[in-house]
Amino acid sequence: MILVTGGTGFIGSHACLALAQAGHELLILDNLCNSRADVVDRLQRICGRRPLFVEGDVRDSAVLDEVFDRHRVTAVMHFAGLKAVGESVARPLEYYDNNVHGTLQLLAAMRRAEVRTFVFSSSATVYSDREGHVYRESSPRDATNPYGRGKLIVEDILADLHLAEPAWRIARLRYFNPVGAHESGLIGEDPRGVPNNLMPFVAQVAVGRREFLNVWGNDYPTPDGTGVRDYIHVVDLAEGHVAALDYLTREGGLLTVNLGAGRGHSVLEMIQAFEKASGRPVRYRIAERRAGDIAQFWADPSLAKMLLGWETKRGLDQMCADAWRWQQYCEGLS
Ligand code: NAD
Ligand code: WQD
């Protein structure tokens, strides 16, 4: 059985489907601070089996010990955490507590239970843009905010742990920009309040929930002046997790890989693709650059292809079509 922390969230819920499809039994642990319990019902509708669900916090060692005592967990995928960069600047203690202390509590409980296979949600945010915009796993790392620093700290803790106790099998997966939704349209990203990320904002403008999108800057040194990112379909990302788990089971060790598509799209390209997929206009205004943004970056995904035999299969049109199907479903949720 795989313990999926944060399994009712955006990426975790898609990972649950990919894991179920690969034949794994699942136990989700989530405190629902950024997701809804009925995601579990929808997971059951899609895959025909109901994952076990425990409402609880990864910082709560009593809950963790009970989970490990009661169930034969063989590996942990750790998605639980807070993820808003701006909020992390305003509330650093909450971010370090959830994302760093939470991970330490989880690792300690795993060690008590003698479970030593761990897949961690890292991020392209750990890369520094000092040496160009194609990020390889060996590229220099840096952090400019507490969210990113938390990811760096956990990455380093995991490396130290593996050095001290080589029996651990650990994957540090660096996601680029996850977007889209499952093709069923039943699960997806449903941010609370004003979305920070581009795609959910675009989808909310298309559906009529918001009037227009602010495009943060059109004077970057990119082909059309707007920011360029490596958008990855969340189902491709989820499949990357299954491939990483298979790799750890086969090879062991400490795995660090980029999960990205290996090419970039600009903000204006994303808007156009979404208009095409939805048949709706996406009104926008050009605004000042957003503090902390950089012009462009994308992954070198070749290591994941070589080690895991994994690469992305779903392109921009599918990302937008699936996000649009989900957005329409989402409007009907209370
Ligand atoms: P999400 O907010 O949709 O999912 C996170 C889930 O964890 C939510 O269901 C939330 O309720 C739960 N959670 C948060 N703190 C918890 C705690 N202390 N105990 C138990 N549950 C808790 O976010 P997501 O986009 O699915 O991100 C998942 C992971 O991937 C995060 O670690 C995030 O930092 C990382 N990541 C996300 C992105 C992205 O752009 N979405 C990119 C790179 C890395
Ligand atoms: C994408 C592009 C914006 C919103 C963030 C985190 C990163 C990772 C993924 C977790 C940029 C532009 C956006 C809007 C816009 N998360 N934009 N108007 O900034 O690449 O990465 O999410 O690990 O850590 O920093 O993603 O979706 O916010 O922005 O013009 O309303 O869209 O300027 O060029 P980003 P994003």
Side-chain angles (χ1 to χ4, degrees):
M1 172 170 286
I2 314 293
L3 171 62
V4 183
T5 75
T8 47
F10 173 43
I11 303 170
S13 59
H14 290 83
C16 283
L17 287 181
L19 285 165
Q21 209 166 27
H24 294 285
E25 297 290 323
L26 303 175
L27 194 164
I28 294 172
L29 175 71
D30 201 302
N31 68 1
L32 302 179
C33 71
N34 197 35
S35 57
R36 306 162 50 117
D38 63 5
V39 168
V40 182
D41 304 332
R42 289 183 256 136
L43 290 174
Q44 181 178 13
R45 264 176 75 186
I46 299 168
C47 66
R49 271 186 300 159
R50 190 175 183 79
L52 295 178
F53 174 66
V54 174
E55 182 176 345
D57 197 298
V58 289
R59 293 165 293 183
D60 184 340
S61 9
V63 169
L64 291 172
D65 285 342
E66 197 180 324
V67 162
F68 286 114
D69 279 351
R70 285 200 179 179
H71 304 279
R72 253 185 50 82
V73 174
T74 53
V76 177
M77 285 202 184
H78 180 39
F79 298 94
L82 304 177
K83 63 164 180 177
V85 172
E87 188 185 54
S88 80
V89 176
R91 304 174 64 199
L93 294 184
E94 282 85 346
Y95 270 69
Y96 289 120
D97 185 39
N98 245 284
N99 296 359
V100 179
H101 174 231
T103 306
L104 282 172
Q105 293 290 88
L106 179 58
L107 292 168
M110 285 177 68
R111 187 157 58 176
R112 286 193 293 278
E114 298 184 6
V115 178
R116 293 196 180 83
T117 302
F118 188 73
V119 178
F120 176 62
S121 301
S122 190
S123 168
T125 199
V126 300
Y127 289 117
S128 149
D129 62 345
R130 279 198 310 273
E131 287 178 21
H133 53 260
V134 183
Y135 295 153
R136 291 178 188 85
E137 289 78 1
S138 55
S139 296
R141 298 178 318 151
D142 196 5
T144 52
N145 55 68
Y147 170 76
R149 209 164 348 267
K151 292 293 179 196
L152 275 183
I153 292 169
V154 172
E155 280 205 353
D156 290 345
I157 289 171
L158 293 172
D160 288 341
L161 174 60
H162 186 261
L163 194 64
E165 299 177 25
W168 281 79
R169 298 161 183 258
I170 296 174
R172 306 185 299 182
L173 305 181
R174 295 179 179 155
Y175 313 159
F176 281 68
N177 288 55
V179 297
H182 188 258
E183 62 180 6
S184 64
L186 293 177
I187 56 168
E189 185 171 16
D190 182 16
R192 296 191 176 169
V194 182
N196 299 302
N197 293 117
L198 177 67
M199 272 294 254
F201 206 111
V202 166
Q204 292 191 8
V205 174
V207 86
R209 231 203 267 182
R210 297 187 189 276
E211 219 186 317
F212 63 88
L213 168 81
N214 282 309
V215 173
W216 306 125
N218 68 348
D219 56 353
Y220 284 106
T222 61
D224 65 20
T226 65
V228 169
R229 296 289 182 275
D230 183 335
Y231 296 95
I232 170 172
H233 195 296
V234 64
V235 176
D236 279 328
L237 183 62
E239 289 171 1
H241 286 69
V242 177
L245 183 61
D246 288 348
Y247 175 92
L248 288 183
T249 308
R250 223 173 40 240
E251 309 282 341
L254 173 68
L255 170 74
T256 307
V257 287
N258 288 339
L259 295 181
R263 46 107 196 83
H265 292 296
S266 73
V267 176
L268 295 182
E269 275 182 272
M270 298 303 284
I271 293 173
Q272 275 164 15
F274 208 91
E275 287 183 326
K276 188 173 132 207
S278 64
R280 299 278 186 94
V282 175
R283 293 186 55 217
Y284 67 89
R285 291 182 191 171
I286 304 297
E288 291 292 301
R289 290 181 179 193
R290 183 171 67 178
D293 268 356
I294 58 177
Q296 55 184 347
F297 61 83
W298 52 85
D300 176 344
S302 52
L303 188 65
K305 184 166 185 196
M306 188 175 83
L307 295 180
L308 311 181
W310 171 91
E311 61 187 330
T312 59
K313 295 187 224 146
R314 297 161 179 89
L316 188 51
D317 289 343
Q318 193 170 349
M319 295 177 204
C320 294
D322 290 337
W324 176 237
R325 199 173 302 113
W326 158 247
Q327 189 61 46
Q328 290 168 286
Y329 176 82
C330 216
E331 293 308 294
L333 294 173
S334 53

